[in-house]
Amino acid sequence: MSLVQTLKTFAGIVGILIVFILGALFTFFIQSSSQAPIQSAQESQQGLQLSQNLQASIKIMPTYFVSNPTLSASSSLSTKTEISSEDKAAISRLFVQILARVEKESFCSGGSYEVAPSYRFNDGQRSIAGFSLHSHFACKIQKEQLDAYSAMLSDMDTIANQSGYAILNIPALEPNYEHESENFKAHQRHLYQNIINQANALAKDYSAILGKQCTPKRIDFGQSARAPMMRAMASDMTIAEAGGAAPTPNMKATLPIIQEGREFSASANVSLECR
């Protein structure tokens, strides 16, 4: 075979390869171009995605209240340098009366007491400066028992002041919400249902605005759906008495001003799909 024929054969093979490669590239380009509109159409078929945060709140009354009244030494007892057998007997009678009054109610327990000397030191010498007295009660009061609780405190205050050995200290009432109670859970379900109703109303509004069919696809309550307690937004009461302050003689124990209850809230992120 001559050199000319060899070159022609080689050129022919190269030409065939070039045509094959160009053809393959053309086919790939056409296929890629034809697939792009299909992918965009699939994405558009998913519809318009919208999201919005919603919030609802509800007021709940406390299930009960807790308080821990205490008795401490009067100024007379706290400055005595010694106590006699008569003093000890008088203090014992004081607590007999206090306990008898507390036992008339069903919402307080406790009442044991301790009387102990307090000391001062001067030039390394220790001497009695007076005597301290400690006693406390644990009280769990239902709302309907608040008047009885107030009357009991007034009687305890009178007994303590008449004895001359003790004073009554009245701490603030603390509201308690039993988060595991059926009543609280019912309020919680009502709160979540409120948000679901808002989501449905929101979907209806957007359907009218956009001229599309909008539906809630996801309602994410986040932590509020898992937590046993909803977030507290405001105080449920104003305490009328000064917590822990020693009352004056013949004082009338005051009660908290019960308002409409504590406001709890829950929030959720709502995703809408409009087609």
Side-chain angles (χ1 to χ4, degrees):
M1 180 180 293
S2 66
L3 177 60
V4 174
Q5 290 176 335
T6 301
L7 291 174
K8 287 181 178 181
T9 302
F10 180 78
I13 293 172
V14 171
I16 292 171
L17 288 173
I18 291 172
V19 171
F20 177 80
I21 292 170
L22 290 175
L25 290 173
F26 179 78
T27 301
F28 176 78
F29 175 79
I30 293 299
Q31 288 177 346
S32 299
S33 299
S34 61
Q35 288 176 358
I38 295 174
Q39 184 178 4
S40 299
Q42 289 174 344
E43 290 177 354
S44 64
Q45 288 176 0
Q46 293 179 3
L48 180 63
Q49 305 292 319
L50 302 171
S51 66
Q52 185 166 331
N53 289 322
L54 298 178
Q55 186 171 334
S57 61
I58 190 172
K59 287 186 177 179
I60 304 176
M61 291 299 296
T63 308
Y64 59 87
F65 302 88
V66 294
S67 184
N68 299 100
T70 62
L71 288 165
S72 58
S74 66
S75 59
S76 174
L77 180 60
S78 62
T79 56
K80 280 181 175 289
T81 57
E82 62 178 355
I83 56 174
S84 63
S85 299
E86 289 77 7
D87 291 325
K88 294 178 182 178
I91 293 172
S92 177
R93 287 194 299 271
L94 161 66
F95 278 93
V96 168
Q97 290 180 277
I98 290 286
L99 290 173
R101 178 61 183 92
V102 172
E103 288 175 354
K104 289 182 179 180
E105 313 298 343
S106 59
F107 41 72
C108 291
S109 60
S112 60
Y113 69 93
E114 175 188 37
V115 177
S118 55
Y119 297 95
R120 61 169 171 259
F121 293 86
N122 186 19
D123 295 332
Q125 299 295 316
R126 186 180 77 167
S127 60
I128 296 177
F131 286 84
S132 62
L133 183 150
H134 300 285
S135 179
H136 79 280
F137 295 85
C139 302
K140 177 180 176 181
I141 311 107
Q142 304 296 325
K143 182 184 176 183
E144 59 273 15
Q145 296 173 322
L146 287 173
D147 287 340
Y149 175 71
S150 177
M152 183 194 74
L153 291 179
S154 293
D155 291 344
M156 291 174 66
D157 178 63
T158 300
I159 295 168
N161 280 292
Q162 288 178 348
S163 74
Y165 291 96
I167 57 174
L168 178 66
N169 307 289
I170 306 174
L173 282 168
E174 297 293 337
N176 189 282
Y177 300 85
E178 290 184 311
H179 303 129
E180 297 302 320
S181 69
E182 286 303 317
N183 180 59
F184 190 90
K185 290 179 180 179
H187 284 299
Q188 192 176 37
R189 289 192 295 268
H190 177 78
L191 192 61
Y192 294 151
Q193 186 60 50
N194 187 307
I195 290 181
I196 293 171
N197 293 342
Q198 288 187 56
N200 290 329
L202 188 68
K204 185 177 179 180
D205 291 342
Y206 273 113
S207 296
I209 294 170
L210 300 174
K212 296 177 178 290
Q213 181 62 41
C214 299
T215 55
K217 285 299 180 183
R218 179 180 176 83
I219 301 178
D220 184 9
F221 286 96
Q223 291 184 353
S224 63
R226 297 186 294 272
M229 173 180 177
M230 296 166 283
R231 184 175 42 169
M233 299 296 292
S235 175
D236 56 292
M237 65 167 63
T238 301
I239 301 300
E241 73 268 23
T248 57
N250 301 318
M251 67 162 283
K252 182 181 185 302
T254 53
L255 292 176
I257 301 170
I258 306 299
Q259 298 177 349
E260 295 181 6
R262 175 174 293 179
E263 188 175 77
F264 291 88
S265 74
S267 60
N269 182 267
V270 177
S271 298
L272 302 178
E273 182 180 280
C274 301
R275 296 175 180 272

